[in-house]
Amino acid sequence: MTTSTQHSSSDRQTHVVLVPGFWLGAWAWDDVVPHLEAAGLAPHAVTLPGLDDVETDRSGLTREDHVQAVRDVIAPLEGDVVLVGHSGGGPVIHEVVDRDPARIRRAVYVDTGPLVDGASLAPDLPAGTVDLPLPAWEDLEAAGSSLDGIDEAGLARFRARAVPHPAGVAGGRVRVSDPARLDVPATAICTSLPSEVLRQMAHPGPPLHTELGELEVTYVDLPTGHWPMFSRPADLAAEIVRAVRE
């Protein structure tokens, strides 16, 4: 697990921990980080275990490994901590909030949301699956992961740097149990799914199994595809800054 960081001499620094979704590392936030730094924040872009290199052994990795990796990033930080989770990183940051809700000032969900206890992002993986390679573009689109706003160069970069996602993480069950997790304010940045639709799906149950309806949530619309860090990075950074300052 690796991070990219920027520190400030502020007496009360605000740290923004950026957790990417499936197939992505810290590099996915490269075009977002400079805008956060310019706003006086300290961004920490995370590469979760198993997402560093295609040659990495992903066979034994679990959801708890990803949760603990984010907690390890937070542990030495002094000041406020805001978690940002994109896609599959959203449930991960919710589990981090659950482990230590008093440490997190706000959770920001980018085209994602917090899952209920026992939910899984990929519950039907065949036995023996070790990892999940990045699908073909048409398969992603068919599954609802819009690529709107990403140009050909961006798609080529995405494909070249993507790493298979650990199956033990994708298929693992979310574990949350501390009621205090529901007291941590949240922001939902809605990109491929409009906020009007997400509000209607914000309570536990299919297809999202989300806990958004149990939280104090600020909904924000940023119309684009599922990967706004590639399609609208400056605008995404601006919305993260706004969320931090709420």
Side-chain angles (χ1 to χ4, degrees), residues 11-204:
D11 290 338
R12 186 67 178 177
Q13 181 65 66
T14 298
H15 300 275
V16 181
V17 178
L18 302 160
V19 181
F22 282 21
W23 312 297
L24 306 174
W27 60 270
W29 302 99
D30 282 355
D31 292 337
V32 175
V33 163
H35 299 286
L36 301 181
E37 292 173 345
L41 303 174
H44 305 257
V46 180
T47 297
L48 294 167
L51 277 300
D52 54 329
D53 188 89
V54 294
E55 302 299 329
T56 297
D57 180 12
R58 286 171 281 276
S59 59
L61 291 172
T62 67
R63 291 198 62 81
E64 192 57 35
D65 290 322
H66 278 197
V67 172
Q68 187 58 51
V70 178
R71 295 187 71 193
D72 289 343
V73 172
I74 294 170
L77 303 181
E78 297 182 2
D80 292 333
V81 174
V82 173
L83 297 179
V84 179
H86 164 255
S87 192
V92 172
I93 70 166
H94 188 50
E95 290 182 88
V96 175
V97 170
D98 178 76
R99 304 302 189 273
D100 192 3
R103 184 68 182 95
I104 309 304
R105 199 179 89 193
R106 177 172 289 271
V108 180
Y109 298 95
V110 180
D111 220 36
T112 185
L115 295 186
V116 298
D117 184 66
S120 170
L121 290 171
D124 301 320
L125 288 179
T129 304
V130 173
D131 55 30
L132 306 177
L134 177 65
W137 299 136
E138 56 268 26
D139 293 335
L140 282 173
E141 293 270 13
S145 295
S146 169
L147 295 162
D148 285 357
I150 309 178
D151 61 20
E152 289 302 319
L155 290 175
R157 176 171 175 256
F158 187 175
R159 178 69 62 182
R161 301 198 66 174
V163 172
H165 206 77
V169 178
R173 302 287 177 177
V174 169
R175 295 303 175 200
V176 290
S177 60
D178 189 341
R181 74 188 183 279
L182 304 176
D183 296 330
V184 176
T187 297
I189 300 178
C190 306
T191 63
S192 67
L193 190 68
S195 63
E196 181 180 357
V197 175
L198 187 58
R199 286 175 187 269
Q200 297 171 4
M201 306 170 74
H203 294 277

